[in-house]
Amino acid sequence: MGAETAARYSVNSFLSDDKVSLYYPTYASDLCVVNTDIGDGDSGITDSVSAGLFDLSRKETLFAQNVNERVMPASLTKVMTAYVALKYGSLEQVLVAGSDVYVTESGAQKIGLKEGDRMTLDQALRILLIYSANDVANLIASNIGGSIPDFVNMMNTEAYAIGATNSHFENPHGLTSDEHYVTAYDMYLIFNAAMQYDTFSEIINMNTYTTSYLDSTGASKDVDISNTNGFITGAQSAPSGVTVIGGKTGTTQAAGHCLILLARDTAGNPYISVIMRDTDSGTLYNDMTQLLKEIVN
């Protein structure tokens, strides 16, 4: 299968208001490292959460709290799903839904895919990352991996290859499973790896997306979705001097409220910030705002 060409250094100028390109190293280059908590006790961030802030230009960890504790990632899982799909699939590839596309968990986010529905990988990735549709995660996994279990094996192999060795995936969507876990530090590694791909960097910056896909009879089905990230929709404001480029949300009862972001300072320097296992949406965004303040402090 063809793979999208990876850029060694990329977050393109179209992602920044002032047209300043953002550059960061790939996961094969030097990385931020952290072994202990970093930061003072007056950060204003909830003590129980896992949180990390990583300066990609200086390869420095600016803040770390419980970053090496195993936690459930909820839909932050989909960053890993997207990375594997971009590495092993091609954007024009047509994905066809099989009997394994259905998600039956109550309250799970989905677009209502049915067996025989089809769309391109490009469409699927946008719905996956913007709207966090769990049935689309299954669609991607079964088509790219040959089966969902085989794709999950690919996720674990690739996670290990990029150094995310304290993570283990059991599905492509992040719905609760006992042995499905990551660390906040591993999520930084996974997100950093996904940013090799221009398509990933483009999608996480999108507020809305409209498309049409085909059902088993060839009839068109419309999709009109909005981003689940409050910093992208405008429902939340970043601190002065910080611009949020994009990211991924994740929430389940077991995992709590999770958020990973790509942000930049006024000079265009990029940062990855992550908070996991927060208590509720309001506290999550308050904690993330406090974490982003560390960029300009």
Side-chain angles (χ1 to χ4, degrees):
M1 292 177 287
E4 182 193 28
T5 302
R8 179 170 176 78
Y9 297 95
S10 62
V11 167
N12 295 331
S13 59
F14 64 82
L15 294 181
S16 57
D17 295 336
D18 56 2
K19 304 301 182 184
V20 175
S21 295
L22 307 182
Y23 296 94
Y24 53 83
T26 68
Y27 68 87
S29 305
D30 292 343
L31 293 164
C32 305
V33 294
V34 57
N35 294 315
T36 61
D37 285 1
I38 297 172
D40 57 50
D42 298 324
S43 65
I45 298 170
T46 304
D47 291 340
S48 59
V49 304
S50 295
L53 177 64
F54 306 93
D55 182 333
L56 303 186
S57 296
R58 293 185 293 175
K59 307 176 186 68
E60 180 181 353
T61 303
L62 302 183
F63 184 89
Q65 178 177 291
N66 306 319
V67 291
N68 293 313
E69 290 187 10
R70 290 179 175 178
V71 293
M72 292 183 177
S75 284
L76 299 198
T77 299
K78 296 181 175 81
V79 176
M80 190 71 211
T81 300
Y83 172 70
V84 174
L86 285 164
K87 184 171 183 178
Y88 290 99
S90 59
L91 293 177
E92 67 276 8
Q93 180 177 351
V94 176
L95 313 181
V96 181
S99 59
D100 54 2
V101 74
Y102 299 107
V103 174
T104 58
E105 183 170 321
S106 177
Q109 187 99 315
K110 52 191 176 183
I111 62 167
L113 286 176
K114 294 179 172 58
E115 192 170 352
D117 289 350
R118 54 194 184 275
M119 66 178 67
T120 65
L121 178 58
D122 184 78
Q123 291 174 298
L125 286 169
R126 293 170 195 275
I127 298 169
L128 178 83
L129 294 171
I130 296 170
Y131 189 64
S132 205
N134 295 295
D135 49 356
V136 173
N138 282 348
L139 173 72
I140 292 171
S142 61
N143 279 265
I144 301 299
S147 71
I148 292 175
D150 285 343
F151 185 86
V152 171
N153 287 338
M154 294 166 67
M155 294 172 70
N156 286 314
T157 298
E158 291 299 325
Y160 188 86
I162 63 177
T165 56
N166 287 318
S167 298
H168 183 262
F169 298 99
E170 291 200 322
N171 60 61
H173 40 64
L175 295 176
T176 303
S177 182
D178 289 343
E179 293 302 313
H180 189 94
Y181 56 81
V182 300
T183 66
Y185 181 72
D186 281 2
M187 278 310 311
Y188 146 69
L189 294 175
I190 293 165
F191 196 87
N192 189 56
M195 288 195 307
Q196 290 181 89
Y197 295 97
D198 292 335
T199 295
F200 179 85
S201 299
E202 175 194 349
I203 293 171
I204 63 172
N205 183 248
M206 295 175 67
N207 187 3
T208 61
Y209 177 59
T210 301
T211 192
S212 299
Y213 64 95
L214 301 178
D215 67 15
S216 59
T217 70
S220 180
K221 302 176 76 170
D222 296 332
V223 175
D224 188 3
I225 55 174
S226 299
N227 205 308
T228 59
N229 184 342
F231 286 108
I232 297 300
T233 64
Q236 304 291 330
S237 298
S240 178
V242 177
T243 299
V244 172
I245 304 302
K248 184 73 191 75
T249 61
T251 305
T252 64
Q253 185 172 358
H257 294 253
C258 309
L259 179 61
I260 190 165
L261 298 176
L262 172 65
R264 63 179 176 91
D265 60 22
T266 54
N269 298 309
Y271 303 80
I272 292 175
S273 57
V274 57
I275 289 181
M276 308 191 71
R277 199 176 53 190
D278 220 327
T279 54
D280 57 76
S281 178
T283 305
L284 172 68
Y285 282 105
N286 287 337
D287 283 343
M288 182 59 80
T289 299
Q290 293 301 315
L291 183 59
L292 292 173
K293 287 180 180 178
E294 298 288 329
I295 292 173
V296 292
N297 284 347

